Amino acid sequence: DVTADREREDPGVGLDGALEFLDDLASGYGWRPPALEWFLACRFLCGAPVPFRHGRADWRERAADLVAAAEAV
């Protein structure tokens, strides 16, 4: 959730930055949960409507970015 929230709230981070953050977080725990990428893709898709709901002027671009991030994971 933290990685998806980070990507959704700060588009400047980008997918690579979000995945790097996830790698750092997982290495701190000493293991990576199974199907983590699948879970992350689902979280990106769940967040896609958020820019629209919050009335952001760039909601189309942000929603498209989140869907593209889900596809890339």
Side-chain angles (χ1 to χ4, degrees), residues 14-73:
L15 180 59
D16 291 336
L19 292 175
E20 183 179 326
F21 176 76
L22 181 63
D23 287 338
D24 291 344
L25 188 64
S27 70
Y29 280 103
W31 62 283
R32 190 180 191 91
L36 187 58
E37 287 79 11
W38 180 85
F39 177 79
L40 184 58
C42 291
R43 291 297 301 141
F44 283 144
L45 288 177
C46 288
V50 171
F52 175 76
R53 272 198 311 257
H54 290 180
R56 292 181 54 152
D58 63 345
W59 70 267
R60 284 186 175 98
E61 293 83 14
R62 289 300 302 135
D65 290 346
L66 289 166
V67 171
E71 290 173 341
V73 173

